[in-house]
Amino acid sequence: AGSTATTLAQGAPAKPIGQFLSVRSPIDDSVIGRVRKVAQDLAVRSEKESRPAVLVLELAPGDSPIHQVQGLASLLSSARLSRVRTVAWIPKSVTGLNAVVALSCNEIVMHPDANLGDISHGEPLDDASRQFVQTLVEKRRNAKVNWPLARGMLDRNAEVVRATITGENKQVKSRVVGPDELQLIRKSNPGADIEVARIKASDDLGIFSGEQARQLDILVTQTAEARSDVAAIYGLPARAMKEEKSS
């Protein structure tokens, strides 16, 4: 039994280090500074100890100024933090610009009943802000989020569908797209069987609950009821859930 235990210990992947952090709203310089410090500390430890690092940001409902949201989203998607797996944890509904922070993380975990989306609250975003979200999402840090989906979350008029393409060789591909992309798919796959399922109609809010997102296989990797469930998903110790008081 002893030798088996030793073999398991040698073969087991290194346990991750991690930290939960509450991101209060409105987001301001002090919030961004705190996230930067914790994230950089995790990145340094991860390299030093050769262990994976996970930063779980618990996002609060509310509204924040666009420049602060961009500041935090840019930090989270920067190459400096490439060693840190960033997770947005959404226990309560987050709408408006704060939702952009969730889209900048590697993964999103939501409470089944919490909602995420309606980024522009029904008012069109200005071109620069819209371009920022598009560039951010097109980095594809989160495989469950692409631009057609994000566009549907910030533009009530945008339609979002899932196209399932069965090619002549019986290979099946599935993509989340808007009407323009769907037309291109139809043109470039003339002999294919294309099944279309609606994700969001053109006059809907562009808001999804955790349960809905999980069923549609968009946005979220998992749903969870509490912090402890999120810690369990990522194999984090209980101490990762304790936060230092912000000064």
Side-chain angles (χ1 to χ4, degrees):
S3 61
T4 312
T6 312
T7 313
L8 283 174
Q10 285 167 347
K15 283 195 170 157
I17 52 173
Q19 183 60 55
F20 279 71
L21 202 53
S22 299
V23 176
R24 67 169 189 269
S25 190
I27 292 161
D28 58 17
D29 288 350
S30 68
V31 169
I32 296 172
R34 195 161 169 245
V35 174
R36 180 183 287 111
K37 184 186 180 308
V38 172
Q40 287 176 344
D41 288 352
L42 279 173
V44 169
R45 269 191 70 194
S46 167
E47 192 161 7
K48 212 161 139 187
E49 301 175 22
S50 297
R51 290 163 71 190
V54 183
L55 174 61
V56 183
L57 298 176
E58 183 171 314
L59 299 186
D63 276 312
S64 301
I66 182 68
H67 70 280
Q68 299 286 19
V69 167
Q70 289 181 346
L72 182 51
S74 299
L75 166 70
L76 292 168
S77 58
S78 70
R80 275 180 306 168
L81 299 185
S82 58
R83 291 191 69 95
V84 181
R85 187 181 191 179
T86 52
V87 179
W89 159 227
I90 317 282
K92 291 181 179 152
S93 297
V94 172
T95 60
L97 292 170
N98 282 9
V100 174
V101 176
L103 301 184
S104 69
C105 292
N106 297 122
E107 292 174 14
I108 299 171
V109 178
M110 290 173 67
H111 188 284
D113 301 334
N115 292 316
L116 182 67
D118 193 15
I119 292 169
S120 60
H121 283 324
E123 297 298 319
L125 281 190
D126 63 80
D127 287 346
S129 304
R130 187 183 169 91
Q131 186 59 54
F132 175 83
V133 177
Q134 182 169 355
T135 305
L136 178 78
V137 165
E138 283 180 343
K139 288 181 176 180
R140 293 310 301 268
R141 291 168 56 72
N142 183 341
K144 304 279 185 191
V145 179
N146 66 1
W147 172 235
L149 176 63
R151 184 175 57 206
M153 293 170 77
L154 60 82
D155 180 354
R156 291 189 185 180
N157 297 320
E159 190 184 344
V160 188
V161 298
R162 181 184 294 283
T164 305
I165 309 129
T166 308
E168 290 169 350
N169 55 2
K170 296 288 179 247
Q171 257 197 324
V172 179
K173 280 187 254 169
S174 171
R175 288 174 59 194
V176 174
V177 295
D180 293 350
E181 293 95 348
L182 182 59
Q183 274 188 319
L184 285 174
I185 287 172
R186 288 195 159 125
K187 270 185 194 160
S188 54
N189 295 275
D193 175 28
I194 299 171
E195 198 180 307
V196 178
R198 177 175 286 161
I199 287 175
K200 175 198 170 293
S202 64
D203 51 355
D204 286 352
L205 283 185
I207 192 167
F208 301 96
S209 72
E211 193 170 354
Q212 245 182 323
R214 193 86 170 96
Q215 283 170 352
L216 292 166
D217 194 26
I218 55 170
L219 281 180
V220 301
T221 6
Q222 299 268 8
T223 52
E225 300 275 341
R227 243 182 203 213
S228 52
D229 301 329
V230 183
I233 289 167
Y234 293 98
L236 298 178
R239 67 176 171 276
M241 292 188 277
K242 294 188 179 70
E243 297 187 38
E244 284 178 29
K245 291 278 183 284
S246 57
S247 49

